[in-house]
Amino acid sequence: MQRVLVAGATGYLGGFVVKEIANRGYWVRALVRSASREEKIHDSADEIFEGEVTKPESLAGVCDGMDVVFSSIGITRQKDGLTFRDVDYRGNKNLLEEALRAGSGKFVYVSVFNGPALRHLDIVDAHEAFVDELAKSGMEFSVLRPTGYFSDMGELVKMATGGRVWLIGPGTNHVNPIHGSDLAVTCVDAIEGSTTEIDVGGPETMAWNDAARLAFTVLDRPVRITHVPVWLVWSVVRVVRVFNRHQGELLAFFTTMSTTDVVAPTFGRRRLVDHFADCREESR
Ligand SMILES: NC(=O)c1ccc[n+]([C@@H]2O[C@H](COP(=O)([O-])OP(=O)(O)OC[C@H]3O[C@@H](n4cnc5c(N)ncnc54)[C@H](OP(=O)(O)O)[C@@H]3O)[C@@H](O)[C@H]2O)c1
């Protein structure tokens, strides 16, 4: 039986990956930084290892006996005072060093769609700098580059619940977001396959305006969308970057993703309308 370490197991994608791996009959060790966050994966993981990728000493032995290491560790909205470089690059590099020391056979990593072309953004550069480390490590690896996750699209439902959706720019760019459980299938396929670079998005491609209208439709509310001019958002990014580089870079990332087409080869079956309906029920 293959043994897989899942790092990022307490996150949105990692939780689905732990379940998918367990369903396929693998033995799973989940890396968590706090025992209090483990209940989400408790039933699917065979073993929990407490450690933090930014503290290499806490990782000693985490990859021992593991055939494959999967990582979806990355800062998204965490406010720990750490940078993308600290976590997405250095943290994952610490894990890679453990995997190399332990003789694991393969490392599967989640970066961002269009990563190589977006390295001027801190978050993307941190991911892709780690991909560079993987490529030169000599270990077999696979990197997935997904579009947006349904978890992020849920923000549209939150805004629509408040009566108005704010979109960056004209809302005419397209995206094909993906549900975590569909993406988890491609992640585990990557563990089993030999493709090194995988671009992936969900089954439906839509303009941001259509996604926002869908949120109002699901809530049965009148459509109210405000488009914030792109030049204005970039001016805000420039100011925020001076005072808080991390938040400025996060806004730069969302602005770029909202004002360019983010459409990857399609995979999966989960539809955004059903996710929005789930968000509506959860908020009741
Ligand atoms: N969201 C999107 O639309 C999108 C699109 C493309 C790619 N991605 C990338 O996909 C990856 C996974 O995304 P996600 O939505 O599943 O993220 P998430 O829900 O925020 O989960 C991130 C995971 O990383 C861990 N982590 C964060 N900071 C850490 C730190 N300082 N030390 C140790 N662990 C830390 C979290 O642990 P805790 O639970 O303890 O916080 C969690 O397990 C990220 O790298 C993200 O950049 C996201």
Side-chain angles (χ1 to χ4, degrees), residues 7-14 31-34 37 40 51-54 72-78 80 82 87-88 109-113 123 127 145-152 253:
T10 50
Y12 171 71
L13 173 59
L31 172 63
V32 304
R33 56 176 168 163
S34 159
R37 301 263 293 138
K40 190 177 148 189
E52 194 150 344
V53 286
T54 48
S72 58
I73 283 197
I75 299 190
T76 43
R77 291 192 168 77
Q78 292 89 346
D80 308 348
L82 295 167
V87 178
D88 302 21
Y109 180 65
V110 181
S111 178
V112 178
F113 180 64
I123 180 169
H127 276 304
R145 294 195 178 94
T147 58
Y149 298 171
F150 275 17
S151 52
D152 275 5
F253 175 69

Side-chain angles (χ1 to χ4, degrees), residues 92-100 107 130 133-134 137:
N92 279 302
K93 189 162 174 270
N94 291 335
L95 193 57
L96 174 62
E97 275 158 18
E98 264 302 307
L100 288 165
F107 202 116
F130 177 66
E133 295 290 341
L134 267 182
S137 70

Side-chain angles (χ1 to χ4, degrees), residues 38-152:
E38 79 178 55
E39 80 272 6
K40 190 177 148 189
I41 42 154
H42 197 79
D43 295 340
S44 308
D46 294 285
E47 190 178 287
I48 303 290
F49 188 107
E50 257 185 75
E52 194 150 344
V53 286
T54 48
K55 296 177 183 151
E57 66 285 358
S58 73
L59 294 179
V62 68
C63 298
D64 288 1
M66 296 297 107
D67 301 299
V68 179
V69 175
F70 168 88
S71 176
S72 58
I73 283 197
I75 299 190
T76 43
R77 291 192 168 77
Q78 292 89 346
K79 294 192 173 85
D80 308 348
L82 295 167
T83 65
F84 299 115
R85 198 89 191 161
D86 291 335
V87 178
D88 302 21
Y89 172 68
R90 276 190 212 95
N92 279 302
K93 189 162 174 270
N94 291 335
L95 193 57
L96 174 62
E97 275 158 18
E98 264 302 307
L100 288 165
R101 195 198 52 74
S104 303
K106 183 168 185 176
F107 202 116
V108 176
Y109 180 65
V110 181
S111 178
V112 178
F113 180 64
N114 221 3
L118 298 176
R119 291 193 67 158
H120 53 285
L121 299 166
D122 280 6
I123 180 169
V124 181
D125 188 52
H127 276 304
E128 290 297 320
F130 177 66
V131 174
D132 292 345
E133 295 290 341
L134 267 182
K136 68 182 184 208
S137 70
M139 185 186 281
E140 189 188 346
F141 76 96
S142 182
V143 52
L144 293 109
R145 294 195 178 94
T147 58
Y149 298 171
F150 275 17
S151 52
D152 275 5

Side-chain angles (χ1 to χ4, degrees), residues 112 118 121 123-124 234 248-258:
V112 178
L118 298 176
L121 299 166
I123 180 169
V124 181
W234 280 117
E249 281 295 321
L250 210 49
L251 185 57
F253 175 69
F254 285 126
T255 305
T256 303
M257 292 314 214
S258 308

